[in-house]
Amino acid sequence: MNWFPFWPLLGLLAVAAILPLAASLFRPPAARGRREADLALYRAQMEELDREREAGRLDEAAHRAAVLEVQRRLLAAPAEADTRSGRGAKLALWGMVAAVPLLALALYWPSALPDMPSAPFSLRQQVAARDEEMLELLRSRLARLDPATPQAQEGYRLLGNAERSRGALGPAAAAFKRALDARFDPELMSQLAQILIEDDKLDEAGRILAAALPRAPQHVGLRFLSGLVEAKAGRPERARELWQALVAEAPPEAPWRTMVERRMQELP
C-alpha cells in the first residue's frame, strides 16, 4: 500500500504538537517564584494522576502511592529557587522545536508501518531480564564496599529507587535500610518510611519515624509522614494534631502548606 498521503498528515500533526512550545519562545519571560512553580507542578501532576486513574490505567493502590510520592517531593523541595538565565532555556526549546519532527521522521522512515504491533512479550521479557542483570551487578559491587562509606550509601540509594520503580517494595526498603547503615540521613529515612507506608507496614513505618524525629525534629517530610501513619492507622485526631503543629510552624510561603491543609480537611 502506498503511504505517501500519510506523510503530509504526519508533518501537520508534528507541527501542531509543537506549536504551543514554539509560541512560548515569543512570550516575554515571566517571573515565577519557587512557591508558585512548585504548586503549579504539584497541581498538574495531581490532575494527571487523577486522569490516569479515571481512565483505568492506574488502580487505587498505584494511584495512592504516586500521589504520596508527588507530595513527598513537594515537601522536600527547597524554599528558594536558583536564579538562572532564560537564554539557555530558550536555546534548548528552539532545539526541541527543530529536532522533534526531524527525529520522529527519522525513526518512522525505515519501517513506514503505522500499524506495526507493540513489542512482543518475549522482547519485554528480555528487557526485564537485562534490567535484573544490571541490578544484580549493582548488588554484587555494593557487597564489596564498606557499608559505612558515602559511596555505599549512594549505591544503595540507587538500588532502592530502582527496586521501588519496578514495584519491589520489600527489596527497596531493604536497600534503603542498608543505605542508612553509612550515616543518618533524614531524607533517606523519609523515603524508607514512605515505602513502608505504601507496603501497608504502618507499625514499622511508625517505629522508623519515631526513631528519626528526635534526630531531625524540624524535617518536614518526617513530620508529615508521621501524621500520615496516624491517619492510615485509624487515628485521625492524632494525625490532625501533628499536621496542625506542622502548619502552625510553617512559613506562609511554604509550597507544601496548601497540600497539608487539604489533607487535614480530608480527615474524618
Side-chain angles (χ1 to χ4, degrees):
M1 181 180 293
N2 183 7
W3 288 101
F4 177 76
F6 176 75
W7 296 109
L9 177 60
L10 179 65
L12 288 174
L13 288 174
V15 171
I18 63 175
L19 272 178
L21 180 62
S24 68
L25 296 172
F26 298 97
R27 297 194 193 110
R32 169 172 279 194
R34 180 57 182 261
R35 178 177 183 273
E36 182 185 354
D38 285 343
L39 285 175
L41 178 60
Y42 165 72
R43 293 191 189 101
Q45 289 176 328
M46 294 295 290
E47 290 170 0
E48 178 64 23
L49 289 174
D50 289 342
R51 285 194 294 268
E52 291 290 306
R53 180 182 58 181
E54 291 169 3
R57 290 187 288 268
L58 278 179
D59 59 22
E60 285 299 326
H63 179 266
R64 287 195 302 270
V67 166
L68 186 58
E69 173 62 15
V70 172
Q71 292 173 343
R72 187 195 65 77
R73 290 179 182 176
L74 180 64
L75 290 169
E80 297 295 331
D82 296 332
T83 56
R84 299 178 182 176
S85 170
R87 180 177 176 83
K90 279 209 168 187
L91 288 176
L93 286 176
W94 274 116
M96 290 173 64
V97 168
V100 166
L102 293 176
L103 180 60
L105 185 62
L107 291 173
Y108 188 82
W109 185 272
S111 61
L113 294 174
D115 57 347
M116 179 180 291
S118 59
F121 178 69
S122 60
L123 179 58
R124 296 197 297 272
Q125 280 186 314
Q126 292 174 14
V127 172
R130 185 181 62 214
D131 290 345
E132 178 58 37
E133 183 179 350
M134 293 178 64
L135 287 177
E136 189 56 40
L137 178 61
L138 176 58
R139 294 187 196 103
S140 66
R141 291 183 176 177
L142 287 172
R144 296 194 293 268
L145 291 177
D146 181 352
T149 61
Q151 293 81 4
Q153 183 175 65
E154 184 59 28
Y156 280 112
R157 183 201 298 264
L158 292 173
L159 178 60
N161 285 326
E163 296 283 18
R164 184 182 184 186
S165 67
R166 63 178 192 162
L169 297 181
F176 276 108
K177 289 174 183 176
R178 292 297 303 274
L180 287 162
D181 287 344
R183 63 181 176 86
F184 174 77
D185 184 324
E187 182 59 26
L188 275 179
M189 278 288 192
S190 69
Q191 292 185 52
L192 172 58
Q194 183 178 335
I195 290 171
L196 294 171
I197 293 171
E198 292 173 16
D199 206 17
D200 290 326
K201 296 181 178 179
L202 299 180
D203 290 341
E204 186 177 358
R207 290 193 296 271
I208 290 287
L209 292 165
L213 273 170
R215 304 178 69 178
Q218 298 305 315
H219 191 272
V220 175
L222 293 174
R223 297 176 68 183
F224 170 75
L225 291 173
S226 296
L228 186 61
V229 167
E230 297 296 328
K232 287 184 173 292
R235 297 184 289 270
E237 290 305 319
R238 177 59 179 157
R240 184 177 288 106
E241 179 184 339
L242 292 171
W243 286 341
Q244 282 176 341
L246 177 59
V247 170
E249 297 175 20
E253 69 277 4
W256 44 264
R257 186 186 186 108
T258 303
M259 181 270 291
V260 178
E261 291 173 341
R262 192 181 75 173
R263 281 279 190 165
M264 284 194 290
Q265 293 172 359
E266 293 172 354
L267 291 172

